[in-house]
Amino acid sequence: MLRTFREHDLRRVDALDGRWELAVAGGRQDPAALPEAYPRTIQVPSAWECLPGLERYRGTAWLRTRFRAVEGRAVRLVFGGVSHTGTVFVDGRRVGDHYDAFTPWAVVVPDLSPGEHELVVAVDNSFGEHSALHIENDYMTYGGITRPVELHHVPAVFLERMSATPRRTGDRWALDLRVRLANWSQHPLERSVVAEVAGTQVALGALRVAPGETAEATATFDGLAVEPWSPRHPRLYELAARLLDGETAVDDLIDRVGFREVRVAGEQLLVNDEAIRLRGYNRHEDHPQFGNAIPLAGMAADLELIRDQGCNFVRTSHYPNDLRFLDLCDEMGFYVWEESHARTVDFDHPAYREQITRSTVEMVEWHGNRPSIIMWGCLNECDSVSEAGQAEHARVLQLLRELDPSRPVTFATNKPFRDRSLRWADICALNIYIGWYDGEPADIEPEMERILAWLDSPASEGGAGKPVILSEFGAGAVPGYRDPRRCHWSEEYQCDVLDEALRVYLGHPRISGAAVWQFCDVRLTPGWWHKRPRTMNNKGTVDEHRRPKPAYAVVKRRMLASAAREDER
Ligand code: ADA
């Protein structure tokens, strides 16, 4: 299923995960050119690169299964993620499509007869003029239906979405609720909604929804005597909404919320009015056996390793993550920086603006209720210098603020002394690789002082006086490569860089957070940094199989020491 918890008691939801049929086109192909035969099968969710012979396949494939529709209900297909473009056909008829592997999406098919139907999803993971975000890059774009698929049976008007924002009110809490109803029928219909959290109910009243349209209602839960959410005490509450037709409940929707408030105050990042220090990792969704379709137990195992090292923070570099991973962060108590899908993308690509806007909107819409997410990011290491680049940073950061005023927004820059977009960020996030791309570990401290001095001067054009996070730093180490010379790519040198960087960054009064690049070694697309050893990004402190390198112990020692200092505060 799409979540680690049930989202419906009343609505019938079928999991479509399992063995689907597979036909491979041999390259990029018209998705509507549905094949006569499906000679292979594939597990859904999974990445097709994990099938023998498809390890490097880039192009179109068709995946097919069957499902049953029921009387009086529309079919709503919900995809956790299709990499990277999915086109949906039901009984040979095109009913929807979606670009970008990393955000969920749904297709409603209202007019199916009860009984069995054919579902085909054409999947394309190719690069080119049609793809601005999935490009040759320092991480892999896989192919397939890589996150779970659900079949929802929904009434004429159904609960499409709930967004819930917690607010402190003295020693109690409020929860601002917005509910969206959708009407797939041909008639205007009136419904009402009742919602409940922590034993308190609110009625959102009657709502008239026009045919084929959506309608929203808001309400606020006030005076909630609830326990706050924090990494140390990740207390979650069930938020349940019921849709009523008169007195009859006809649909429902369940989510979970955590009561925490995050804000920036001067140079500090505050959660529940306490200044926090972020200690953690950048993590790609990548695994040699599963691609980006890491099963739930694998996600949990990754978070256990990150927690074992004394970390409280994960950056979902560089795209929205699987909803179940975020659910785990809520449950296990991690702060998360989630960002819309961009790593050094080209703002002039013809498809860029529409695709980044959609990724950003969908990220907030689908992930906004997660207490673990304490900030939204975007546009990693993009053009933040030119006039056009500045304008685009202003646009996307403002879009994030409009979508969700409750969280600070940021972008990671690798352009100290040159960046001209910091004025639009609430937090200054620096990707700095002193000791790797240039300099030695001994240069880290003096160079960081120079960067911070620039940041807090008028020259940074808006970087002064804001929280600072080291969003990336690290060094590559080929697993098992030991060398007394302690040279680049050796495991010894990775230890030297990370030990010094963490000594400086975790102890610096002006720095609120440090995220190591990166958790595990990950696969790249060959056309990008093929000159990297193993066509991998080797900066993990565990290798791709999660086998710890010597740097794992270095990071653990530094992070635990920092956590202990925090506890003493
Ligand atoms: C950049 C980028 C990362 C990764 C890293 C590296 O900061 O944001 O995705 O490519 O560099 O390994 O050099």
Side-chain angles (χ1 to χ4, degrees), residues 294-305:
I294 301 175
L296 182 60
M299 298 180 206
D302 283 357
L303 284 168
E304 291 293 355
L305 287 174

Side-chain angles (χ1 to χ4, degrees), residues 221-234:
F221 293 92
D222 268 319
L224 296 172
V226 292
E227 296 170 53
W229 181 93
S230 71
R232 206 182 294 278
H233 186 59

Side-chain angles (χ1 to χ4, degrees), residues 450-469:
R450 287 184 57 236
I451 292 170
L452 293 173
W454 164 77
L455 204 53
D456 280 336
S457 76
S460 70
E461 296 182 65
K466 294 176 177 173
V468 175
I469 291 177

Side-chain angles (χ1 to χ4, degrees), residues 281 309 494 498 516 518-519 539-542 548-549 551-552 555:
Y281 273 101
Q309 296 174 76
Q494 184 185 42
L498 286 175
V516 174
Q518 65 176 318
F519 167 65
K539 296 190 182 70
T541 60
V542 299
K549 302 177 189 175
Y552 180 102
V555 171

